[in-house]
Amino acid sequence: MAAKDRNPLTPDDAPAAGPYLAVEGVEFAYAPGTPVLRGFSMGLARGRLACLLGPNGSGKTTLLRILVGLLDPQAGQVRLAGTPLADYPRAALARRVAYVPQETLAAVGFTALETVLMGRSPHTGALGFESPADWRAAREALRRTDTERFAGRNLDELSGGERQRVIIARALAQEPDLILLDEPTSFLDIKHQHDIYGLLAGLVRDEGKTVVAVSHDLSLAAAYADDLVLVDEGRVAASGPPEAVIRPEVLSPVYDTPVEVRTDETTGRPYVLPRPPR
């Protein structure tokens, strides 16, 4: 392996001090004078499931694209395990961070299994030959996302929800430390919504993964997340555990609509009911 492709910081030697994922004063604009992120700062501990909440256009997707290295901040920086994201070689970052975008074009001509195997590319080396371990990882990812039965079908033949689960399986096959997902359940029925969030929570609980997901479903996010970050006009409006963020006085000004918050008697988690304006 060439020196430039080595991961400069492995999970075992990551610094213990400070947040695992730190966003420090990040500024970004697609056009001059139209900022999307404005001095955005947040810190997330390792082994947590965090959900980014906020209205459309508040900067959540842009933030994810910065976290995965697709966009460079115009000010501020992102640190992963104490190291600036910009210091990671591309190959090292690909082994460490997986990204599931909100919309993914179907890979015409590729089966679901072939698509999931693409998630192993950071591990297969220059020649790109899959090992038995790569095939096992892909098959296991299909199983965990309930998409095994689609293994031999072309991705463009699947429904939006089926395709979304295959793309999530591709991210799982990558075996990253950090998984970033942009509205991962937007095309899914209620069963698979809970299956996916249950799977993400299990990855955090059982394997120590760190997961950051954008969600427009406040109640679903509150049911599974360890931490919530409420984004408004490119800044953090509130952050903390669900009970600290899912509050009418916090949500209503950001979403510009009245809400009612109740507590699930079984889980003790808050959930949100829209309240029509009088």
Side-chain angles (χ1 to χ4, degrees):
M1 183 185 298
K4 67 177 182 179
D5 290 331
R6 291 196 187 101
N7 190 336
L9 198 65
T10 63
D12 292 336
D13 58 24
Y20 176 66
L21 179 63
V23 183
E24 302 168 344
V26 162
E27 304 265 352
F28 186 85
Y30 292 101
T34 311
V36 178
L37 296 174
R38 312 161 186 254
F40 192 100
S41 296
M42 71 176 190
L44 298 175
R46 189 187 184 97
R48 305 282 285 181
L49 170 54
C51 284
L52 301 175
L53 312 176
N56 292 329
S58 57
K60 303 182 299 298
T61 293
T62 297
L63 177 63
L64 281 194
R65 297 185 72 192
I66 288 173
L67 296 182
V68 77
L70 293 176
L71 296 174
D72 294 324
Q74 288 143 3
Q77 68 174 349
V78 176
R79 291 182 178 270
L80 179 62
T83 296
L85 205 66
D87 289 353
Y88 280 89
R90 185 172 297 275
L93 193 62
R95 288 191 293 273
R96 190 152 204 173
V97 182
Y99 174 51
V100 178
Q102 184 177 351
E103 296 182 6
T104 303
L105 296 177
V108 177
F110 290 97
T111 67
L113 176 56
E114 290 167 339
T115 300
V116 174
L117 272 170
M118 294 176 188
R120 298 299 300 168
S121 59
H123 304 275
T124 54
L127 297 179
F129 295 124
E130 294 89 3
S131 69
D134 295 321
W135 285 92
R136 284 194 299 271
R139 290 284 186 184
E140 175 63 10
L142 287 168
R143 184 193 67 78
R144 297 177 82 171
T145 53
D146 190 27
T147 52
E148 285 178 294
R149 61 189 182 278
F150 307 137
R153 291 178 58 185
N154 284 353
L155 202 64
D156 55 352
E157 298 173 353
L158 303 181
S159 71
E162 292 164 348
R163 187 161 59 243
Q164 180 74 350
R165 284 185 282 137
V166 171
I167 299 304
I168 293 173
R170 183 178 66 185
L172 298 184
Q174 194 173 327
E175 297 183 322
D177 298 320
L178 173 64
I179 305 175
L180 307 172
L181 308 100
D182 195 353
E183 297 190 50
T185 61
S186 57
F187 299 108
L188 304 185
D189 58 54
I190 189 170
K191 174 189 183 305
H192 286 107
Q193 287 178 3
H194 284 275
D195 284 349
I196 290 299
Y197 268 94
L199 171 61
L200 297 176
L203 291 171
V204 169
R205 180 186 63 247
D206 301 330
E207 300 180 21
K209 305 291 187 186
T210 304
V211 177
V212 181
V214 168
S215 179
H216 280 294
D217 189 324
L218 304 181
S219 296
L220 188 65
Y224 288 95
D226 300 304
D227 305 295
L228 299 178
V229 180
L230 180 62
V231 185
D232 184 29
E233 297 184 346
R235 298 186 179 94
V236 175
S239 64
E243 59 270 19
V245 177
I246 303 300
R247 303 171 64 89
E249 64 272 23
V250 174
L251 299 175
S252 291
V254 171
Y255 286 95
D256 193 26
T257 190
V259 299
E260 180 179 346
V261 174
R262 298 182 183 178
T263 301
D264 187 298
E265 294 181 356
T266 302
T267 65
R269 297 264 182 153
Y271 63 96
V272 180
L273 296 173
R275 194 174 65 195
R278 295 179 180 177

